[in-house]
Amino acid sequence: MAADDAIKDHAAERRLFVVRTLVVGTVLGVMVATLVARVAYLQVYRHAYYETRSQDNRMRVQVIPPVRGLIYDRNGVVLADNLPAYRLEIVAEQVEDLDATLDRLDEVVEIREADRQRFRDRLSKTPHFRGVPIRLNLSQREVARFEVNRGAFPGVEIRAGLTRHYPLGRVAAHLVGYVGGITAQDLGHVDNTRYRGSNHIGKAGAEYSFESRLHGYPGSRVVETNAGGRALRELEMNRPTAGENLYLTVDARLQSAAYEALGDNDGAVVAMNPETGGVLAMVSKPSYEPDLFVDGISGDKYRQLTADPHMPLYNRAMQGRYPPGSTIKPVMALAGLETDAIPATKKVWCPGYITLPGSERRYRDWKRTGHGWVDMREAIYRSSDVYFYKLALKLGIDNLHRYGAMFGLGSPTGIDLPRESSGIMPSRDWKRGARDLPWYPGETLNTVIGQGFMTATPLQLAQMTSLIAERGAGYQPHVLNGWKAPSDENFQSAPARPLAPIDLEDRDHWQVVIDGMVDVVSAPRGTAHHYVGQNLDYSIAGKSGTSQVAGLAQNQAAPDIEDVERRFRDHALFVAFAPVESPEIAVAVVVEHGGGGSSVAGPIARRVIDAYRADQPMLQANRETPQ
């Protein structure tokens, strides 16, 4: 043993032991430090996240979207309603392979590409432990098919909710508008916290304009769940605040009557209350079914709408820009009276045409043989173009533009609906800016009869007519009458905005022009007497207009309308108000390629006014205050 002890290297063994001890100690130290760091990371830096995750295993916070406010007409008829519906939601955190789940879901419930895109837009802005809708408004058959296969789709749930419905359908589509699925672009313009859990947002019409009132504020509830995510009991509830119910100035019955009156024609009808500026009816035809857009319109149906040559998505009442034709002659007559360009009683010879000095070109009257001697009143009700040509030479384009602008021509009316066009009331400055050309005298002649560069929307023509009816007083056109908050049953009226009054130097000039408009309908030689003035039991003032679509050569005779292809026929226009003594309704009608204003547009205006008056005995005196 002594020999063995003698050959042992005790120093080396001690060094080896120390090294091993240090290595083991270092490894243990690193492991302990790593464990401490991980604990610190989990308990300090990620405390809030994992606390939420752990609580979510037992408790879930479910967002409760607000009920969207309803839209009513002035008499309480529902224009936009909420109906029960089922939606399919996915909690991304509980789904292992999202794309595979969507593919398998598509075999049970149709999942379109638009649904997937909308889902991913919302998913990117929603915590993964919250449900995000993939399909809205499931049919009963789809609900049943999913329920049978529910076990194959962990993290996918069906929830009850509401969807938008429009009882009047295409009759009021352009006016009421529609809601659609919220997109990433929409979320960029709204308060995201207010839209938590919501699936729809206003896209057009009143639904778009009054989105902030119609959309309420979301609530939430805390529920206890089992390991499978099923709710066991409710622990806490914060109720949502419903959106406000809106009441429009529109009369649903009159809206339907105007829609029917247009028949198969493309065109527009706008009816207003001259005293308040409230829109009674606004129809654009052809139209579309707004319900198609609520839960996402299919690509095929959308392409059908956009490819339709009659453009059903185009709101002609507010966006259609048409040469107003002779409907503006009452305004031009007022300009002549107010500037002393011509006395009302002065007779002017109308041979059927006029030429400018130094030119052989004939500016023709619609009546090629002429009207003979006519004064201003006769020129209005017989619609003498030559009379107004001669008046225009005295007035000049500057005065024509100034008085046209007074009546709102060439500018948006400012109605509380989106995407209104302005039209054109031409001037020297306008042409210089738009065409980089000077103004020519012949263009003044075209302007005075509502042709040439001049265009107006049916809404502008209705406002112009209202201002004449009220002798220069009026209010900005509007469709919002008022609202009721969900917590307050008191009706809140929307304030009307007065327009700048048109103060004439001589208020008797109003009567001259209005008398001429009355004779359009009532005088035997009035342009609309045969078509509008028969069997009247009330007074009506009107003015017809026919705006040229295709020009004629200087020596070419006007062809019969039946011989002209429809797309080349003139537009037919008519404006009117009634009763003359105390105006209650002003109407503007445009029929695209309809031909004669008196014969085609005039009867439509008459039917609208008759429908309005027929309703009066059935309604209370104040139609604009909901009960």
Side-chain angles (χ1 to χ4, degrees):
M1 293 294 295
D4 291 339
D5 291 340
I7 63 175
K8 283 185 177 179
D9 189 346
H10 296 285
E13 289 182 353
R14 281 196 298 271
R15 285 195 300 272
L16 180 60
F17 177 79
V18 171
V19 170
R20 289 176 175 175
T21 301
L22 289 175
V23 170
V24 170
T26 301
V27 172
L28 289 175
V30 170
M31 293 177 64
V32 170
T34 302
L35 180 60
V36 170
R38 182 62 177 170
V39 170
Y41 174 77
L42 295 176
Q43 294 295 323
V44 178
Y45 296 103
R46 298 286 284 171
H47 172 76
Y49 174 77
Y50 284 104
E51 180 183 41
T52 302
R53 290 285 303 272
S54 64
Q55 289 294 332
D56 203 46
N57 287 332
R58 182 176 63 88
M59 294 183 295
R60 292 255 180 101
V61 178
Q62 296 179 346
V63 177
I64 306 175
V67 175
R68 190 172 181 85
L70 305 183
I71 301 178
Y72 298 92
D73 85 336
R74 62 193 299 172
N75 304 309
V77 177
V78 178
L79 302 177
D81 200 1
N82 296 321
L83 298 180
Y86 294 97
R87 66 178 183 268
L88 198 62
E89 288 189 357
I90 298 178
V91 180
E93 182 182 71
Q94 299 176 8
V95 177
E96 291 184 4
D97 188 333
L98 194 56
D99 290 329
T101 297
L102 292 177
D103 291 338
R104 286 188 292 109
L105 264 178
D106 192 29
E107 298 174 2
V108 179
V109 176
E110 182 185 10
I111 306 294
R112 298 171 302 192
E113 185 57 37
D115 298 324
R116 295 189 185 218
Q117 184 60 50
R118 184 166 57 242
F119 171 76
R120 294 192 181 279
D121 288 344
R122 295 300 301 275
L123 185 62
S124 65
K125 297 179 179 294
T126 304
H128 283 199
F129 52 87
R130 308 289 190 214
V132 177
I134 180 65
R135 265 292 309 276
L136 306 173
N137 199 18
L138 298 177
S139 67
Q140 293 291 340
R141 180 183 293 273
E142 289 174 319
V143 171
R145 290 182 64 182
F146 177 79
E147 290 294 344
V148 169
N149 295 275
R150 174 188 287 273
F153 296 101
V156 184
E157 293 284 344
I158 285 182
R159 298 196 184 279
L162 297 171
T163 191
R164 208 62 159 172
H165 170 59
Y166 301 98
L168 265 63
R170 62 183 65 231
V171 171
H174 293 97
L175 172 67
V176 178
Y178 58 85
V179 297
I182 300 177
T183 64
Q185 183 178 6
D186 294 326
L187 292 174
H189 296 89
V190 298
D191 179 1
N192 286 356
T193 60
R194 189 175 176 185
Y195 282 80
R196 287 184 303 127
S198 296
N199 301 310
H200 296 104
I201 193 170
K203 298 284 189 178
E207 291 275 30
Y208 176 87
S209 288
F210 310 119
E211 172 66 24
S212 62
R213 292 194 176 279
L214 290 165
H215 191 86
Y217 293 85
S220 63
R221 66 173 183 162
V222 180
V223 295
E224 184 177 7
T225 62
N226 62 18
R230 299 283 183 173
L232 300 177
R233 61 183 176 130
E234 184 175 278
L235 302 176
E236 183 181 330
M237 167 67 83
N238 295 308
R239 297 191 179 281
T241 302
E244 295 169 336
N245 292 330
L246 301 188
Y247 293 82
L248 305 187
T249 60
V250 177
D251 186 321
R253 282 172 287 198
L254 190 65
Q255 181 79 11
S256 297
Y259 187 86
E260 293 174 4
L262 268 174
D264 295 329
N265 297 298
D266 294 354
V269 176
V270 178
M272 289 175 54
N273 182 337
E275 286 189 301
T276 66
V279 173
L280 301 171
M282 181 183 289
V283 170
S284 178
K285 207 169 186 180
S287 188
Y288 61 92
E289 288 293 346
D291 284 345
L292 291 173
F293 289 86
V294 173
D295 296 315
I297 188 170
S298 69
D300 288 341
K301 289 182 179 179
Y302 186 70
R303 282 189 289 272
Q304 288 176 11
L305 289 173
T306 55
D308 190 327
H310 295 277
M311 299 184 295
L313 297 178
Y314 182 49
N315 186 351
R316 290 163 165 80
M318 289 174 47
Q319 297 172 316
R321 292 176 290 186
Y322 306 92
S326 296
T327 60
I328 67 160
K329 285 178 179 175
V331 172
M332 301 296 104
L334 280 172
L337 293 173
E338 281 291 288
T339 58
D340 295 325
I342 189 170
T345 56
K346 179 178 176 59
K347 295 280 188 176
V348 173
W349 175 249
C350 171
Y353 67 91
I354 186 177
T355 59
L356 293 173
S359 172
E360 296 183 357
R361 177 182 176 180
R362 292 187 174 187
Y363 292 85
R364 299 183 183 278
D365 198 288
W366 70 268
K367 186 177 181 181
R368 295 302 177 93
T369 58
H371 299 274
W373 290 100
V374 291
D375 60 17
M376 181 172 285
R377 182 170 176 173
E378 291 174 305
I380 292 174
Y381 76 74
R382 296 171 64 183
S383 202
S384 168
D385 291 334
V386 168
Y387 178 96
F388 284 94
Y389 289 152
K390 293 180 177 180
L391 175 60
L393 292 177
K394 294 182 178 181
L395 286 172
I397 186 57
D398 296 334
N399 279 319
L400 296 186
H401 173 79
R402 180 161 65 92
Y403 278 87
M406 284 184 188
F407 286 84
L409 300 174
S411 300
T413 66
I415 190 172
D416 49 356
L417 289 175
R419 306 177 184 95
E420 180 188 8
S421 297
S422 61
I424 299 172
M425 184 64 226
S427 66
R428 299 178 193 275
D429 291 340
W430 172 85
K431 190 182 178 191
R432 179 67 68 184
R435 305 293 178 90
D436 195 24
L437 291 171
W439 189 265
Y440 299 112
E443 294 165 342
T444 302
L445 303 190
N446 287 332
T447 301
V448 79
I449 61 167
Q451 295 280 174
F453 300 120
M454 188 176 183
T455 60
T457 66
L459 178 60
Q460 288 174 325
L461 295 180
Q463 176 181 257
M464 176 195 77
T465 308
S466 294
L467 286 168
I468 295 173
E470 290 296 309
R471 291 165 169 77
Y475 289 86
Q476 191 175 61
H478 60 278
V479 299
L480 181 61
N481 187 35
W483 60 88
K484 284 184 180 180
S487 59
D488 184 1
E489 283 301 308
N490 293 324
F491 177 77
Q492 302 292 319
S493 296
R497 298 181 179 180
L499 296 171
I502 301 174
D503 295 321
L504 300 186
E505 293 292 332
D506 186 346
R507 290 192 61 80
D508 289 342
H509 292 161
W510 289 113
Q511 197 60 48
V512 173
V513 169
I514 291 173
D515 285 346
M517 294 178 70
V518 170
D519 288 346
V520 168
V521 175
S522 61
R525 299 179 74 178
T527 57
H529 176 66
H530 177 72
Y531 305 102
V532 181
Q534 304 301 307
N535 304 313
L536 272 175
D537 59 359
Y538 59 91
S539 58
I540 180 173
K543 184 68 191 81
S544 58
T546 303
S547 63
Q548 197 173 52
V549 173
L552 298 174
Q554 277 285 294
N555 298 320
Q556 181 180 357
D560 292 334
I561 190 170
E562 292 79 10
D563 298 330
V564 179
E565 189 178 346
R566 185 170 182 85
R567 64 192 178 99
F568 293 126
R569 295 179 185 177
D570 297 339
H571 297 321
L573 301 94
F574 200 84
V575 299
F577 65 88
V580 176
E581 302 77 18
S582 181
E584 297 177 11
I585 182 172
V587 180
V589 178
V590 176
V591 179
E592 292 183 0
H593 309 294
S598 293
S599 59
V600 177
I604 294 173
R606 167 72 187 272
R607 286 182 62 183
V608 172
I609 297 174
D610 284 348
Y612 172 81
R613 290 180 58 81
D615 275 349
Q616 300 314 294
M618 302 164 55
L619 303 174
Q620 296 186 8
N622 189 353
R623 293 168 56 102
E624 292 194 6
T625 302
Q627 304 301 312

